[in-house]
Amino acid sequence: MLLVRLCAALALCLMITTPATGESPMRVLVMGDSFMTSNSSAKKSLPHVLSGLLRTKVKSRAVAGARHLYALPISGGLGMNISKQYRPGKWDYVVMNGGGNDLWMGCGCGKCTRKMEKLISSDGRKGAIPNSIARARRDGAKVIYVGYLRSPGRGSPIEACKPLGDKLEARIAKLAALDSDITFVSLADMVPFGDASFHALDMIHPSPKGSAAAARRVLSVIQPNPS
C-alpha cells in the first residue's frame, strides 16, 4: 500500500512540474480585398501559402472588392466593409490590407484628398484604417498591414494610382511606427521593372508567384529567425 501511495505521489508531482510538450496552434486572421483572395481557387492565395508556411490554419475573411469606406449595411456586413470582416477572438496575428479600392473606385485616383483623410490622417493616427487596426490590437493581436504590388511598367490600368498609393502607404508606415506590435509590410520593391510574372493577366492582382512572395514577407515578420 505504501508503495502504491509513493507511486501516486510521484506521478502527481510529475504532472505538476513537467512542462507541456505541445503548443497551442497559432491563430491568424486575414482581412482585406482581392489582393488577399487572388488565386484562392487554386489554393495559392496569400492566406493559403501563409497557412502552409506556418503549418497552422489561417482564417481568411477577405472579400474581393472590399473597401475600408463602405456604407451599405447588408453587403458591408458580409465583408465588403473591411472593418466588418473582423471577428473578436484570441488572435495571435491579424494580417490585413486595403485602401486600393477606396482610392481607385472611390475617386479614380484623382482628387482624393478627402477620401485619403477619411482612410488615414497625415500623422497616421485617425481614420478608418487606424480604427480597424485598433480593434484588433484591443483584443491583443499583433497586426501586420500588407501594402500593394507596384506595376512593372507594362501597361497596368492602375499606373496612375502609384503616387497616391505611395502616399497612403507612407501614412500607414507612420501608424506602424507608433506601436511595436503593428508592422507595415511594403511590397513596393518586390517587382523588378519589366517583370510581369508577379502579376495576373490583368496587371492589377497578384499571380500565384506574387501571392507567395507576399506571404513570405509576412512570414518574415511572424518568424524573423526560423529554425
Side-chain angles (χ1 to χ4, degrees), residues 13-225:
C13 182
L14 288 172
M15 288 173 63
I16 295 172
T17 58
T18 303
T21 55
E23 295 182 358
S24 299
M26 183 179 294
R27 300 195 65 198
V28 181
L29 173 68
V30 172
M31 302 164 53
D33 58 26
S34 56
F35 184 86
M36 297 297 191
T37 64
S38 291
N39 310 303
S40 290
S41 60
K43 296 186 177 181
K44 293 182 179 181
S45 67
L46 188 154
H48 282 105
V49 175
L50 185 62
S51 177
L53 292 171
L54 290 172
R55 298 181 181 179
T56 191
K57 183 177 180 180
V58 171
K59 176 68 174 178
S60 178
R61 293 190 56 83
V63 174
R67 309 184 199 183
H68 281 289
L69 304 173
Y70 190 91
L72 297 178
I74 297 177
S75 51
L78 294 174
M80 290 301 292
N81 184 314
I82 292 175
S83 69
K84 294 183 179 180
Q85 295 173 7
Y86 184 74
R87 291 295 180 270
K90 295 182 179 180
W91 305 107
D92 295 295
Y93 286 91
V94 172
V95 181
M96 71 171 70
N97 85 319
N101 289 328
D102 296 278
L103 298 178
W104 183 33
M105 294 188 290
C107 52
C109 292
K111 296 180 179 179
C112 295
T113 301
R114 289 184 61 215
K115 188 77 68 175
M116 178 73 76
E117 290 299 316
K118 288 182 178 180
L119 284 171
I120 184 168
S121 59
S122 59
D123 62 3
R125 295 177 182 271
K126 299 177 182 179
I129 292 175
N131 289 344
S132 292
I133 291 175
R135 189 175 181 190
R137 291 289 298 118
R138 283 194 296 270
D139 283 348
K142 295 181 179 181
V143 175
I144 300 174
Y145 203 99
V146 183
Y148 289 100
L149 295 175
R150 297 303 192 270
S151 166
R154 296 183 59 180
S156 171
I158 57 172
E159 193 75 43
C161 295
K162 182 181 183 304
L164 207 59
D166 291 343
K167 184 177 181 180
L168 173 69
E169 293 187 1
R171 294 187 178 195
I172 298 170
K174 284 185 179 180
L175 170 61
L178 300 172
D179 184 343
S180 60
D181 286 329
I182 302 173
T183 302
F184 173 63
V185 173
S186 175
L187 307 181
D189 63 340
M190 180 174 285
V191 180
F193 184 80
D195 185 350
S197 65
F198 288 84
H199 287 79
L201 292 176
D202 62 8
M203 297 301 292
I204 299 174
H205 298 97
S207 64
K209 177 180 177 179
S211 292
R216 287 193 293 271
R217 289 206 174 181
V218 173
L219 178 70
S220 71
V221 175
I222 299 174
Q223 295 180 350
N225 298 300

